[in-house]
Amino acid sequence: MMKSFLYLALSFLTEFSYAQVLHHSSHSSDRPSTHGMAVVGTQHIYLSHLPMFHSPHDYQVILEVTLDTASQAQYLKMKATTGSELITMVPETFVLPEMVAHPRPFKAAFYRGHFERGGSVFIDEASVTISKVIYFNKFSPTENKHTEARFILFGDKKEQFLAHQITVKPDFDQLLSVEAQGFQEKNNGDVLVFKDRNNDQALNPGEIETPDIKIQVKTNLYLEFGDLAI
């Protein structure tokens, strides 16, 4: 069991974060596209955009969403069956920063497994509405890559998750279910810095990180290097 120090960086649930979303929305030259997302959570449902380092997919975005009543019931039934198995979502085409800045209900199909790697559809057409922007960042090739591992904390009091903060290539995407002691709503979007871990290292289940918020890594939900290698 490994322990290490971390600190909480500035939460992205600030006016600056929303200003950043609006800025990229108003200046976006992106074309409408399909943006696949990983889906986690039961009490609350979260989408994590599956990014790449080229337009129009060069954004790391974490959203809290709601589904229409029938789709939510189907989703929760599938979650009860699959547990920690990956669920992904393929929405209708849109310009991602515009949708995040000015949310409207959109249609989406939900897959058991990865939608591009043999996943099977279990909801043909859900109605999805963004209720909260937890994290939004457009990648920049001039950004400095951090040497220490950084993970974005999000969730609710019953379920918490970590997402690896992606910067510049080569990098990796990782989603994990965790237990974060003392988690509060204000912690949504906080960036945890693991000062004794290199930023090219994925987290493994079973590790415990301290001190400000004790983090126990439970399950790896998604890990992808290939899409972010080039």
Side-chain angles (χ1 to χ4, degrees):
M1 188 177 295
M2 184 176 111
K3 294 184 179 180
S4 64
F5 289 97
L6 58 85
Y7 64 84
L8 290 177
L10 179 66
S11 170
F12 282 82
L13 290 175
T14 63
E15 291 183 4
F16 173 79
S17 110
Y18 290 106
Q20 184 186 35
V21 174
L22 291 171
H23 170 79
H24 287 297
S25 170
S26 61
H27 292 81
S28 175
S29 60
D30 294 344
R31 66 185 187 277
S33 185
T34 299
H35 295 279
M37 304 194 187
V39 189
V40 298
T42 54
Q43 299 293 319
H44 295 86
I45 300 173
Y46 305 96
L47 307 180
S48 180
H49 180 231
L50 304 178
M52 292 176 277
F53 283 117
H54 59 78
S55 177
H57 304 291
D58 49 346
Y59 298 88
Q60 185 168 20
V61 181
I62 300 172
L63 306 168
E64 183 179 327
V65 299
T66 58
L67 309 182
D68 64 274
T69 302
S71 295
Q72 176 147 333
Q74 288 178 274
Y75 170 77
L76 293 177
K77 182 178 179 180
M78 179 60 72
K79 284 293 293 181
T81 301
T82 61
S84 60
E85 184 177 343
L86 179 66
I87 290 177
T88 56
M89 183 206 77
V90 179
E92 63 182 89
T93 60
F94 50 67
V95 176
L96 182 57
E98 290 181 3
M99 176 61 76
V100 173
H102 306 287
R104 59 170 175 78
F106 58 86
K107 301 299 183 182
F110 281 68
Y111 288 70
R112 178 176 180 172
H114 197 296
F115 66 96
E116 291 183 322
R117 301 170 189 172
S120 57
V121 175
F122 68 94
I123 303 176
D124 290 319
E125 190 177 80
S127 179
V128 182
T129 303
I130 297 170
S131 56
K132 186 179 296 182
V133 181
I134 293 173
Y135 184 89
F136 178 95
N137 184 56
K138 180 176 173 62
F139 302 141
S140 169
T142 61
E143 186 173 356
N144 292 324
K145 189 168 185 176
H146 304 292
T147 57
E148 305 129 326
R150 298 188 175 211
F151 284 78
I152 304 154
L153 177 64
F154 65 99
D156 55 45
K157 288 187 177 181
K158 291 190 175 182
E159 296 177 298
Q160 300 93 48
F161 306 92
L162 288 180
H164 182 242
Q165 187 184 41
I166 301 164
T167 51
V168 294
K169 60 183 177 184
D171 213 326
F172 68 94
D173 194 3
Q174 185 176 29
L175 288 171
L176 307 115
S177 65
V178 302
E179 289 184 6
Q181 292 186 13
F183 181 90
Q184 300 292 327
E185 179 68 21
K186 65 182 180 180
N187 297 128
N188 249 324
D190 282 350
V191 178
L192 309 185
V193 181
F194 298 82
K195 302 192 78 171
D196 68 340
R197 298 186 66 89
N198 293 330
N199 204 20
D200 59 356
Q201 290 181 294
L203 289 183
N204 296 313
E207 294 179 337
I208 297 177
E209 309 289 341
T210 59
D212 294 327
I213 293 182
K214 292 185 178 180
I215 301 289
Q216 181 174 3
V217 179
K218 295 164 57 180
T219 307
N220 180 63
L221 302 174
Y222 178 72
L223 181 60
E224 174 63 39
F225 285 88
D227 285 347
L228 295 165
I230 56 175

